[in-house]
Amino acid sequence: MKGGWKGRVLRVDLSNRSVNVLDISHYIPHYIGGKGFATKVAWDFLDGDVAEYDPENLLVFMTGPLTGTLAPTSGRGLICSVSPRVYPKPWYTRSNVGGFWAPELKYAGYDGLIVTGRSENPVYLFIRDGDVSLHDARDLWGTGTIATQRILKEIHGPKAQVLCIGPAGENRVRFSTIQHNLSNAAGQTGFGGVMGSKNLKAVVIRGSGGVEIADPPRFLDRCLYTEELVRNGPNIYHMVSPKMSSPDKMVCSAACPCNCEAFARKNFTAKFGPGRLTMLDHCMYPMHGWDRTEYKRQEAPEYRTEGVPPLGDCLDVQYCVEDLGLSIWDFYNFYPWFEVFVRNGIVSVGDLALDIEEPSFWFDFFHRIARREGVCDIFAEGVRRSADRLPDLGVSPEHFDELRKIAIFQQPGYGFPAHRDGRSAESQPSPLWMFSMLHWAFDTRDPMSSHHQTSFLEFIFPPHHGFMNPVADVSREKMNRTYERLLGMKDVLDEGFEPMEEKVRFAIWHQHRSCIKDSLLLCDWIFPRTFASYESQAGIDGADELSGDIDLEAKLFSPATGVEMDSEDLERCGERIYNLERALHIRNYGRNRRTDESIEWLFELPEKSDGTKLDKPLFDRIVDLYYDCRGWPGGRPSEDTLRRLGMNDVLRALYG
Amino acid sequence: MAKEGLENARVPKTKRSGRIVIHGERCWGCSLCELACSLYHEGLCNPSFSRISVRKDFLELSFKPDLCIQCAWPSCYYECPAGAILIDERTGARYIDPDRCTGCGRCAGVCPLMPDAEVIRYRESGGKRTYFKCDLCRERNEGPLCVAVCPRNALEYDAKEV
């Protein structure tokens, strides 16, 4: 072990307040790190009958071999556990979180942290290198995430990194977050509730060590080379981008050099917030009149007007949501759902008056959710579960059908919200939503967060072309030529379902790449770097194809760790990780073809932009082909597949 | 004694240094400078071993890079009892020779920026402290690495005084 990894994971049992260090050097390098290590930890230590709020549930914080290094965008980390969000029955999944905590954990000397058990009283965990201690957190219980972080930094110094929960996590809201800094969070998976169930208010990390690099000069060269390629920002729709970003841009995570749309710091006058906020800026639009497909980039200048911008109120709502430790994304599910209530003349539910156009309503609503007050005790279960309890909400039966339909539509797969998947809220032309469908069918959560590279492709096609500026103008043919050159796959972006096998293999390639990226760990917006960056549209027009460098991950991995691997080797690791996750879900939750098919209905709806749709026979054909390509007869990794991937322990568990 | 020390200085006292100018308002706190610096000088990524350090407050979104300003009249250079602070011929950088450093900490004590700005730091090994500070990457022909790696142009190398 020359560089990158620490080979050690810290294990804390809150029930008996014990701390020990787990040697995971045998995971290296087959499972890379991050998602790979976390899934292996779950494979080794998580039983299938462990429920989300059981003390036995594992809360795993994991880093990758590149975490804490200079590798561009390597500042992220992964949190894994049995997710309270998953519907109908919680299972194990992951959440990728940015910020500065993951490098700090590495500097403290660990690849990861596993928390189990349940403390009798609220505590917080303080890790200072080898010194690990639990501290009384009764005084912090009930405190918002921002104040909690301030207090803990006051105690442990400004360089300490804090992950914490707000009142929402304490009260086990199913969409509560583990919050870090202003806007970094394990958002979708409801892990805040898992932390709350363990009576763990916060994890405070301070590390004084570093990350060893096997070949510093070569690694430094590769990092500088990578930075040059990725500086323009997210792939594809930022193919053309000015070198310098506007002054209000900022980064979400350590080691990020990218000009990114996602995070901006705004100076504005706000009533509650610090007057500055980081955010997904386009996610503010709904408060301005809900229309997810039509919100326009042109509205952006409103941010920059003098005085109090009209968005100030909306930003305050976002600030309050983050302070309470809730996922902002559920706002976009509750809003359209409540719209249906209002449209049907239901102006109040229990003690809640539905003045949904008023920011003050949302303040009140989220505060009550976080504390599970009155009828919000039910809404704290999330849109999908609330829809099962319409009688308890006092809604009359004639509205049940529509309200259920819209709720399921908002959170269509495994209880997770849809996002850039076509159909539900936005259009995504053929064949792009076929890739979304394949990701949804085999993932353990909403796949978008790990597969931006397929979702982003939509920005080059109508109707989304030009939705984000500046955006490249690229023909389908040129994109096809690029993929043919990079992957040897022909016509993958042609409309319709053919060539079907190429398209299935294209989705699989992205799934493996997603595992690599989630394991190293790198940013999903930036990797894999399938397309090159251009200074201007003329550069794109003059190029025959637009290949970027898909070997970047390997180029960074090898000199950092001293383990020489090329892209093909890494993809094999990615495949191993994908198969391990599948095997875990088969062993623990009986995952099978029926589970995979549970998302099919969504893709039977006609696609918004071009009317294409799936029917059952076609869906079955695609799934059959997918299983064939993967070596998963009947949805189960075959003995040959597991043997080929060197997963003998899994082989024994699945086949005896 | 002090006067004699000045006359015996290894380079004329008028030798000016290049300087890294900090545009603090552009900094977004990514830490790339710290990681590049420690990797280049120490062979590992560790912000605690970086010559540049950024005070970051992600709750207030305020970021302040701290770096040696290579004083025209460097107290550290004049005051070091071991003569461990040298002046680089090419860049003018005031740098610490780790072999001569006795770890007394006088340089950090007299530095006008310390202790608010952590521009002179030390590492400990085998019970011995060795101080280190920015040397403008004096052996790197392309100039200081932190300047090259900063995505925001928040650091700028000004060599005109050399």
Side-chain angles (χ1 to χ4, degrees):
Chain A
M1 208 163 52
K2 289 182 207 151
W5 301 282
K6 297 288 177 188
R8 310 156 78 230
V9 167
L10 185 67
R11 195 158 50 166
V12 177
D13 186 336
L14 295 172
S15 294
N16 55 23
R17 299 173 77 92
S18 71
V19 175
N20 59 47
V21 173
L22 184 70
D23 180 359
I24 51 147
S25 44
H26 55 292
Y27 294 0
I28 298 171
H30 325 288
Y31 291 103
I32 306 178
K35 181 181 178 182
F37 283 6
T39 313
K40 189 74 170 81
V41 164
W43 176 262
D44 289 345
F45 301 105
L46 183 70
D47 290 334
D49 56 0
V50 172
E52 68 277 26
Y53 298 136
D54 286 351
E56 291 77 21
N57 190 10
L58 309 176
L59 188 57
V60 183
F61 303 78
M62 200 57 81
T63 71
L66 295 182
T67 310
T69 74
L70 180 61
T73 80
S74 63
R76 306 185 67 85
L78 205 70
I79 303 183
C80 300
S81 189
V82 175
S83 160
R85 156 94 71 177
V86 176
Y87 179 92
K89 196 170 175 303
W91 65 29
Y92 169 93
T93 189
R94 66 188 181 278
S95 189
N96 188 313
V97 192
F100 286 70
W101 65 272
E104 202 69 26
L105 186 59
K106 203 79 171 286
Y107 300 150
Y110 311 100
D111 287 319
L113 162 70
I114 306 171
V115 181
T116 59
R118 174 183 295 149
S119 170
E120 208 168 305
N121 292 311
V123 288
Y124 73 87
L125 176 67
F126 179 49
I127 302 168
R128 190 180 166 108
D129 299 334
D131 295 330
V132 181
S133 48
L134 290 167
H135 299 253
D136 192 334
R138 276 175 291 192
D139 288 348
L140 288 172
W141 210 247
T143 309
T145 62
I146 311 285
T148 300
Q149 292 183 72
R150 286 216 169 96
I151 291 165
L152 291 171
K153 278 169 184 272
E154 195 68 39
I155 298 171
H156 297 291
K159 289 180 181 171
Q161 299 297 335
V162 183
L163 289 151
C164 67
I165 55 169
E170 295 165 12
N171 295 313
R172 304 183 189 182
V173 176
R174 287 200 188 262
F175 48 98
S176 57
T177 58
I178 297 175
Q179 203 76 26
H180 169 65
N181 288 346
L182 279 179
S183 297
N184 295 117
Q188 298 284 36
T189 42
F191 288 157
V194 175
M195 216 159 132
S197 75
K198 297 189 176 307
N199 266 330
L200 181 63
K201 177 69 181 177
V203 177
V204 185
I205 310 164
R206 181 74 185 99
S208 62
V211 180
E212 307 283 336
I213 300 295
D215 184 347
R218 188 158 69 111
F219 183 64
L220 185 57
D221 280 352
R222 296 275 170 87
C223 287
L224 290 171
Y225 163 74
T226 306
E227 186 178 331
E228 204 49 49
L229 287 187
V230 304
R231 208 180 259 197
N232 276 5
N235 217 335
I236 301 172
Y237 74 78
H238 269 194
M239 263 196 285
V240 183
S241 185
K243 268 260 186 284
M244 277 292 289
S245 54
S246 65
D248 60 3
K249 288 285 168 56
M250 64 165 292
V251 289
C252 68
S253 300
C256 180
C258 303
N259 173 13
C260 179
E261 283 290 320
F263 269 65
R265 53 180 156 184
K266 311 288 183 189
N267 291 300
F268 65 98
T269 313
K271 287 195 284 291
F272 302 94
R276 293 175 128 195
L277 199 57
T278 59
M279 78 198 95
L280 280 154
D281 54 4
H282 54 277
C283 295
M284 288 300 107
Y285 288 96
M287 291 293 284
H288 250 344
W290 174 259
D291 192 338
R292 273 164 63 151
T293 52
E294 295 300 324
Y295 57 77
K296 289 285 199 293
R297 193 68 192 159
Q298 294 86 287
E299 289 184 47
E302 269 181 293
Y303 284 129
R304 295 172 180 89
T305 49
E306 292 297 316
V308 183
L311 288 178
D313 287 345
C314 318
L315 296 174
D316 275 339
V317 171
Q318 165 136 350
Y319 181 81
C320 117
V321 163
E322 284 165 359
D323 196 40
L324 292 166
L326 286 164
S327 164
I328 185 70
W329 206 260
D330 283 67
F331 166 78
Y332 312 120
N333 298 145
F334 274 112
Y335 191 106
W337 199 42
F338 284 160
E339 266 193 330
V340 182
F341 280 72
V342 174
R343 204 188 316 125
N344 282 296
I346 307 168
V347 293
S348 67
V349 180
D351 50 359
L352 189 72
L354 298 176
D355 299 323
I356 58 170
E357 300 303 331
E358 292 299 320
S360 58
F361 164 79
W362 293 100
F363 267 113
D364 184 46
F365 178 65
F366 287 125
H367 273 98
R368 283 173 19 158
I369 280 203
R371 293 178 174 86
R372 286 185 173 266
E373 287 171 9
V375 73
C376 288
D377 185 33
I378 293 173
F379 290 128
E381 294 290 293
V383 167
R384 186 68 191 81
R385 284 182 168 81
S386 302
D388 290 345
R389 296 182 59 185
L390 291 172
D392 299 337
L393 291 170
V395 175
S396 71
E398 80 233 46
H399 304 304
F400 282 7
D401 280 353
E402 190 181 1
L403 287 175
R404 281 210 181 111
K405 198 182 105 196
I406 299 296
I408 297 169
F409 201 58
Q410 286 306 317
Q411 303 193 333
Y414 324 124
F416 284 88
H419 184 192
R420 297 245 162 279
D421 311 303
R423 355 292 298 172
S424 70
E426 300 135 314
S427 43
Q428 217 191 6
S430 172
L432 303 182
W433 60 267
M434 181 176 154
F435 306 137
S436 296
M437 188 273 282
L438 284 168
H439 296 329
W440 265 107
F442 309 105
D443 211 324
T444 57
R445 55 166 294 179
D446 56 322
M448 163 66 172
S449 61
S450 309
H451 299 86
H452 277 88
Q453 297 307 331
T454 40
S455 305
F456 277 168
L457 285 171
E458 71 179 36
F459 293 116
I460 58 152
F461 294 123
H464 287 291
H465 181 258
F467 160 82
M468 295 264 193
N469 282 325
V471 71
D473 197 358
V474 190
S475 69
R476 207 182 271 262
E477 290 69 37
K478 204 173 272 194
M479 300 291 274
N480 267 339
R481 274 201 296 281
T482 306
Y483 281 120
E484 190 173 343
R485 161 124 198 276
L486 287 173
L487 312 176
M489 295 175 188
K490 269 186 190 291
D491 306 327
V492 278
L493 293 186
D494 279 5
E495 284 179 59
F497 301 94
E498 300 294 342
M500 196 182 283
E501 186 172 337
E502 296 289 82
K503 283 177 175 160
V504 167
R505 288 193 185 282
F506 183 73
I508 290 176
W509 182 81
H510 277 281
Q511 289 167 354
H512 293 168
R513 280 313 184 113
S514 165
C515 287
I516 296 171
K517 175 267 310 162
D518 267 347
S519 298
L520 281 172
L521 273 141
L522 296 167
C523 174
D524 198 56
W525 279 48
I526 306 296
F527 290 92
R529 205 69 189 171
T530 30
F531 296 95
S533 297
Y534 296 88
E535 297 283 322
S536 67
Q537 180 65 41
I540 292 181
D541 294 342
D544 181 52
E545 47 87 29
L546 312 163
S547 323
D549 187 347
I550 56 168
D551 297 326
L552 275 185
E553 290 93 325
K555 285 178 179 168
L556 292 167
F557 174 86
S558 299
T561 60
V563 177
E564 290 299 325
M565 283 202 194
D566 58 18
S567 286
E568 212 174 300
D569 299 328
L570 279 179
E571 278 164 27
R572 216 168 122 87
C573 292
E575 185 179 4
R576 188 176 296 127
I577 294 164
Y578 206 88
N579 275 273
L580 182 66
E581 193 184 34
R582 182 76 180 180
L584 175 74
H585 276 249
I586 290 170
R587 187 195 70 183
N588 281 14
Y589 311 110
R591 178 129 188 180
N592 55 26
R593 184 170 187 139
R594 215 172 50 246
T595 331
D596 301 345
E597 285 174 353
S598 68
I599 56 93
E600 183 213 334
W601 66 273
L602 182 63
F603 295 90
E604 283 179 347
L605 301 168
E607 163 55 41
K608 213 168 182 173
S609 63
D610 60 12
T612 21
K613 57 180 170 180
L614 277 172
D615 52 24
K616 184 78 172 96
L618 189 57
F619 182 84
D620 285 347
R621 244 178 78 208
I622 296 173
V623 172
D624 285 340
L625 192 58
Y626 181 91
Y627 287 160
D628 275 356
C629 291
R630 276 220 171 273
W632 287 3
R636 211 176 158 83
S638 72
E639 293 184 54
D640 282 348
T641 304
L642 294 172
R643 209 169 284 122
R644 176 170 61 82
L645 294 168
M647 300 166 73
N648 292 326
D649 50 340
V650 177
L651 181 73
R652 279 193 300 276
L654 291 193
Y655 293 94
Chain B
M1 275 305 280
K3 196 162 181 287
E4 195 185 341
L6 278 182
E7 281 159 6
N8 292 340
R10 282 165 295 276
V11 293
K13 65 178 184 289
T14 49
K15 172 76 179 178
R16 295 298 180 94
S17 174
R19 184 172 166 175
I20 295 169
V21 182
I22 297 172
H23 303 286
E25 74 288 355
R26 292 184 193 162
C27 176
W28 60 13
C30 70
S31 308
L32 279 169
C33 53
E34 298 174 318
L35 295 164
C37 178
S38 62
L39 182 63
Y40 180 71
H41 290 283
E42 307 282 337
L44 86 172
C45 291
N46 183 350
S48 313
F49 285 174
S50 169
R51 278 80 177 134
I52 183 169
S53 89
V54 184
R55 278 183 262 177
K56 312 177 193 90
D57 185 340
F58 272 90
L59 297 175
E60 290 297 333
L61 302 181
S62 85
F63 310 104
K64 190 177 179 313
D66 293 321
L67 185 58
C68 169
I69 55 173
Q70 310 290 349
C71 298
W73 295 88
S75 337
C76 56
Y77 169 68
Y78 298 129
E79 299 274 344
C80 175
I85 298 196
L86 309 177
I87 291 183
D88 180 52
E89 204 49 49
R90 185 174 67 87
T91 61
R94 292 79 168 98
Y95 69 99
I96 299 175
D97 179 348
D99 296 333
R100 294 193 200 185
C101 176
T102 59
C104 71
R106 181 104 182 108
C107 51
V110 298
C111 170
L113 300 183
M114 292 283 286
D116 291 346
E118 254 188 281
V119 298
I120 305 181
R121 298 169 137 180
Y122 62 86
R123 81 180 80 73
E124 269 175 336
S125 73
K128 182 183 179 277
R129 276 187 186 180
T130 313
Y131 282 77
F132 56 85
K133 66 181 280 297
C134 173
D135 68 351
L136 298 174
C137 297
R138 61 191 184 87
E139 286 167 356
R140 190 174 184 270
N141 289 330
E142 305 92 322
L145 183 61
C146 57
V147 175
V149 85
C150 177
R152 298 280 297 170
N153 299 343
L155 304 171
E156 192 186 344
Y157 185 53
D158 178 5
K160 66 172 181 281
E161 289 193 336
V162 178

